Amino acid sequence: MTSYTTLSRDLVLVGGGHAHALMLRMWGMKPVHGVQVTLINPGPTAPYSGMLPGHIAGHYTRDDLEIDLVKLARFAGARVIFGAADGIDATRKVIHVTGRGEVAYDLASLDVGLHAQAPHIPGFAAYGIGAKPLDRYADRWAAYVLDVTVGAKKGQVAVIGGGVAGCELALAMAYKLKGLGRQSCVTLIEGQTKLASAIPGADRILREEMLGMGVTVVSAVAVDAVTQDAVLLKGRSSVPSEFTVGAAGGFAHAWLSASDLPKDQGGFVQVNDQLLVAGQEDLFAVGDCAALTESPRPKAGVFAVRAAPVLYSNICATLTGGILKKFQPQTDYLKLMSLGRKDAMAAKWGRCLASPKARLWQWKNSIDQTFMRKFSELPVMKPVKVDGPVALGSDDEQMLCGGCGAKVAPGQLSAALAEMPALQREDVLQGAGDDAAVLDIGGQKQVMSVDHLRGFVMDYGLMGRIAAVHALGDVWAMGAKPQSALLSVTLPRLTPAMQARAMREMLDGVGKVVRGAGAEIVGGHSAMGAELTIGLTVTGLMDGNAITLAGAKVGDALILTRPLGSGTLLAAEMQGKADGRDVAALYEIMAHPQGDAAEILKGAHAMTDVTGFGLAGHLMVMCRASGVAAEVCLADVPAYAGAEALADAGYRSTIYEDNRSAAPVFGPDSAKMALLHDPQTSGGFLAAVAAEEAVALAAQLRAAGHDAAVIGDVRAGEPSITLS
């Protein structure tokens, strides 16, 4: 996260298509310094189109064909914003992202593909699914296969469009359904007389394959409408279909079609031979969303792959004042088509080759696997070595974690706090030692706390939301209502224009959480430094007594409202080892406010938010303050997806060993036990509640969207934690 180069330019990549994925890989190996790279994509992964038919047939898992954009961005030193672009203003140079607002750029590139939702067919939007975007189609297909497996659906499928994509998918779905051992029916509907008419000689081969796989072909016919259980044809009998797929061409995304950018008749963005959008000097477009004006080509992934090196070169040239290259796509290319089974046919130079089918499949599989290894096996970049002598005791082997993993160790902090003088003022009812200080302001009880986080994600809006939820946890845990917040920000070295952009994103993120909790941002302080840090000083008001750490009673049940493992996931993500989907899910939970959870637990005898010292550390503090012991059922403790596996692989946060020493747990050692000492950023609440109320409270929390669980109980004895 640390950078000592002033960032002066914002490069924004919209979409995680093939060209952008390859461009990021190249950037990671040879970046232009001083550039902040941002990738905007709806999710943490991007599917590789070449392996989609194989996945639909069941030959590949979903993991096999998905590029992990989180790992790729970490390798490239880029930040990721999870969200769908829904607008662009090339004059103001901003991208609008659903649910996030505007993201400004100095230089941008579009690689958002197309969709196959067939808006011209009545009923398709309600009852059909386009073959693109690939991830939506794959999700819907997986759900349908499950319905067929359990007998809830009959296996009636229709594919609209008999081009290459439609034929591949019809054969793939037929193969999968046939393998389920159930009677099924797949129908391919094509408006022309020949299948894959762009490839001479393909029609005969494909019809033979369709016949062998039991696929009915209906050609030279027009679709009238799509209903819930059929495809209606003009002048012909309807085709029964529970699952209708559109593969009859691609359509430009509505937000691009509605933009002021130059477009062709189909709504695709026109670009010149340098991949620049026509009339623009700071906006590129590649892949299926772009239309090459000087050398038109069909929509095919091969051109996006071939365009990537030119895109990378021209982006670097634009950023450094160099000379741009021309993209000269080949006039013909090898087409390898899947045939349902692990068979394939090849086409090039106006000829088709369908034998030996298995050998052609092996060839295609080898090409596809080689492409995917570019992202699953990213090059290991050499770490920057310290130049000169190093003092004894200096340890820079482990990367310093972000979030609560960067806290001062509990032992050192406790020793320092023990030397503080006793409270002197009568209006300070409670000072250091609990989640927040309690003040008496003219008879009104006010709580006050401060917290800050070392940045671990450079999405300033997301980091702002997480920091705000994290800081407000102390107020909520004491049973108070948030009142105000002072914001303290250290930005990395940015130019004035980029400072303003970063602050707008951050204030938007912090503001949504703080105002959503009923509080106000009343001021703050900002500075520039080596890295991003966000802190909040928060206050809250309460009518009754504070919920402290000292109220746990023997016989109480212990409730935890969020999973453990955020420190482990963040530590692994910094090393490029965490699954991007797990990281995205973690971010979503950490950014979710917990005021409603605190309200549900307002009757707790004792409560705290689990943060940097881990569950064991905070539970031990509660036991000491209350004079009790605790027993935790490890099997009942929830964990974030991927966290236990990473812990088992040895990934640990910076503060882990200190946390373990400060709060030993008695029980068998395991990866799950390690998570008890894992520092939590924006962690859940740990509450001691009456045993007879625990199950109902946990159910109420889960109904409110919190992954809560009863994890143990409070027992008599010396302060200690034992596993059961």
Side-chain angles (χ1 to χ4, degrees):
M1 303 294 293
T2 301
S3 174
Y4 296 101
T5 301
T6 299
L7 299 176
S8 61
R9 303 274 281 173
D10 263 316
L11 168 61
V12 177
L13 306 177
V14 185
H18 301 352
H20 278 177
L22 287 166
M23 185 268 172
L24 281 170
R25 188 179 187 276
M26 297 174 203
W27 186 275
M29 298 175 71
K30 191 176 181 181
V32 175
H33 298 289
V35 180
Q36 177 172 263
V37 182
T38 301
L39 173 64
I40 299 173
N41 197 67
T45 61
Y48 169 49
S49 59
M51 296 172 74
L52 177 67
H55 169 64
I56 297 301
H59 306 317
Y60 302 120
T61 68
R62 187 67 175 268
D63 287 346
D64 290 334
L65 77 155
E66 289 198 327
I67 299 170
D68 192 322
L69 297 177
V70 176
K71 289 182 179 178
L72 182 59
R74 173 62 69 177
F75 172 76
R79 66 184 192 140
V80 183
I81 292 178
F82 298 123
D86 59 17
I88 180 171
D89 187 332
T91 301
R92 294 175 51 232
K93 297 204 290 189
V94 294
I95 307 293
H96 193 275
V97 181
T98 303
R100 285 294 305 271
E102 294 179 344
V103 177
Y105 67 85
D106 296 302
L107 183 65
S109 178
L110 308 175
D111 187 11
V112 295
L114 48 75
H115 70 86
Q117 286 301 105
H120 60 291
I121 300 177
F124 188 90
Y127 303 113
I129 179 68
K132 291 187 177 182
L134 307 184
D135 50 353
R136 295 180 192 173
Y137 164 51
D139 287 341
R140 288 274 295 274
W141 172 246
Y144 181 73
V145 167
L146 182 60
D147 284 343
V148 174
T149 302
V150 300
K153 296 291 184 181
K154 301 176 183 178
Q156 296 176 331
V157 173
V159 179
I160 301 173
V164 171
C167 290
E168 284 190 299
L169 295 179
L171 289 167
M173 290 188 289
Y175 177 82
K176 180 65 177 180
L177 293 173
K178 192 174 182 179
L180 297 178
R182 295 181 178 275
Q183 190 70 29
S184 63
C185 175
V186 177
T187 303
L188 179 66
I189 303 168
E190 167 56 30
Q192 300 187 46
T193 57
K194 292 185 176 181
L195 301 180
S197 57
I199 304 176
D203 179 72
R204 179 185 59 81
I205 298 171
L206 289 171
R207 285 181 182 272
E208 289 177 358
E209 292 296 327
M210 299 285 175
L211 183 63
M213 199 65 70
V215 177
T216 301
V217 178
V218 181
S219 54
V221 66
V223 174
D224 212 11
V226 175
T227 68
Q228 187 173 4
D229 54 10
V231 178
L232 308 184
L233 306 178
K234 292 183 184 296
R236 300 280 293 271
S237 299
S238 63
V239 172
S241 177
E242 303 164 320
F243 189 83
T244 301
V245 181
F251 304 90
H253 292 289
W255 66 272
L256 276 182
S257 297
S259 73
D260 293 332
L261 300 177
K263 299 171 290 291
D264 67 5
Q265 291 183 343
F268 297 102
V269 180
Q270 292 181 317
V271 300
N272 63 20
D273 59 3
Q274 296 171 328
L275 302 177
L276 280 167
V277 175
Q280 301 287 322
E281 296 182 349
D282 46 30
L283 182 62
F284 293 88
V286 287
D288 288 347
C289 72
L292 297 166
T293 57
E294 299 179 35
S295 52
R297 293 291 186 273
K299 304 297 183 185
V302 64
F303 297 117
V305 171
R306 297 291 176 87
V310 178
L311 176 67
Y312 166 75
S313 178
N314 286 353
I315 282 177
C316 292
T318 303
L319 291 166
T320 59
I323 299 174
L324 275 64
K325 296 180 178 180
K326 291 184 178 182
F327 176 52
Q328 298 177 324
Q330 67 269 44
T331 56
D332 194 12
Y333 63 97
L334 175 67
K335 306 171 189 69
L336 287 165
M337 293 177 57
S338 297
L339 298 176
R341 304 178 183 89
K342 289 186 177 181
D343 292 333
M345 62 174 278
K348 193 175 183 181
W349 299 313
R351 298 179 60 189
C352 281
L353 177 65
S355 180
K357 296 175 184 177
R359 185 68 59 85
L360 289 173
W361 163 266
Q362 292 170 3
W363 188 16
K364 173 176 168 51
N365 179 61
S366 176
I367 292 172
D368 291 337
Q369 297 286 7
T370 298
F371 179 81
M372 289 303 293
R373 278 196 295 272
K374 291 179 181 291
F375 307 103
S376 62
E377 300 175 7
L378 293 166
V380 178
M381 308 305 288
K382 293 181 180 180
V384 178
K385 294 293 185 181
V386 176
D387 213 4
V390 178
L392 294 174
S394 177
D395 180 13
D396 60 355
E397 290 298 316
Q398 183 173 2
M399 185 183 301
L400 180 62
C401 289
C404 267
K407 287 188 72 166
V408 174
Q412 289 85 316
L413 183 60
S414 297
L417 291 175
E419 298 178 6
M420 290 180 62
L423 298 177
Q424 302 295 318
R425 295 181 59 96
E426 293 182 356
D427 54 356
V428 179
L429 305 180
Q430 190 169 316
D434 220 302
D435 290 305
V438 181
L439 311 177
D440 186 336
I441 310 295
Q444 170 68 63
K445 288 182 180 178
Q446 182 187 59
V447 299
M448 181 170 63
S449 180
V450 62
D451 221 319
H452 73 267
L453 296 175
R454 180 174 182 263
F456 51 83
V457 58
M458 292 303 289
D459 176 349
Y460 300 107
L462 174 62
M463 192 68 217
R465 294 200 306 275
I466 293 173
V469 173
H470 180 81
L472 288 171
D474 290 335
V475 173
W476 285 320
M478 299 285 283
K481 302 291 186 183
Q483 177 194 26
S484 68
L486 289 167
L487 182 62
S488 177
V489 176
T490 300
L491 291 175
R493 296 173 63 177
L494 304 169
T495 59
M498 291 183 66
Q499 290 175 40
R501 294 171 187 172
M503 288 301 297
R504 279 195 295 270
E505 288 184 33
M506 189 182 306
L507 286 171
D508 179 67
V510 172
K512 285 178 179 176
V513 172
V514 171
R515 287 190 293 273
E520 295 287 348
I521 299 175
V522 295
H525 180 75
S526 62
M528 291 182 65
E531 59 187 6
L532 174 66
T533 303
I534 305 178
L536 289 92
T537 300
V538 292
T539 64
L541 300 175
M542 64 174 62
D543 296 325
N545 294 324
I547 304 174
T548 69
L549 288 160
K553 301 177 181 178
V554 174
D556 279 352
L558 296 171
I559 290 179
L560 180 65
T561 65
R562 277 191 175 171
L564 300 182
S566 65
T568 297
L569 276 164
L570 293 178
E573 191 280 323
M574 291 180 72
Q575 299 173 60
K577 301 300 182 182
D579 188 299
R581 288 163 295 194
D582 295 339
V583 174
L586 169 69
Y587 289 162
E588 184 176 355
I589 294 174
M590 288 197 297
H592 188 74
Q594 300 189 86
D596 58 343
E599 180 65 23
I600 293 170
L601 293 170
K602 63 184 178 182
H605 298 152
M607 186 157 67
T608 184
D609 60 332
V610 180
T611 54
F613 301 151
L615 174 66
H618 289 279
L619 178 55
M620 182 62 79
V621 173
M622 182 182 289
C623 288
R624 287 170 180 153
S626 302
V628 296
E631 184 168 296
V632 172
C633 179
L634 194 58
D636 293 336
V637 177
Y640 284 109
E644 189 171 351
L646 288 169
D648 190 51
Y651 292 98
R652 300 287 188 270
S653 190
T654 313
I655 199 176
Y656 169 82
E657 289 297 341
D658 290 306
N659 281 354
R660 182 169 181 166
S661 297
V665 175
F666 298 97
D669 205 355
S670 66
K672 186 72 172 288
M673 180 179 172
L675 296 183
L676 300 183
H677 304 291
D678 191 54
Q680 302 304 289
T681 300
S682 188
F685 297 126
L686 173 65
V689 303
E692 63 272 16
E693 299 175 0
V695 173
L697 287 171
Q700 192 176 349
L701 287 162
R702 288 192 292 271
H706 302 277
D707 191 4
V710 179
I711 64 166
D713 54 34
V714 178
R715 303 193 172 191
E718 293 295 318
S720 61
I721 303 171
T722 304
L723 298 182
S724 63

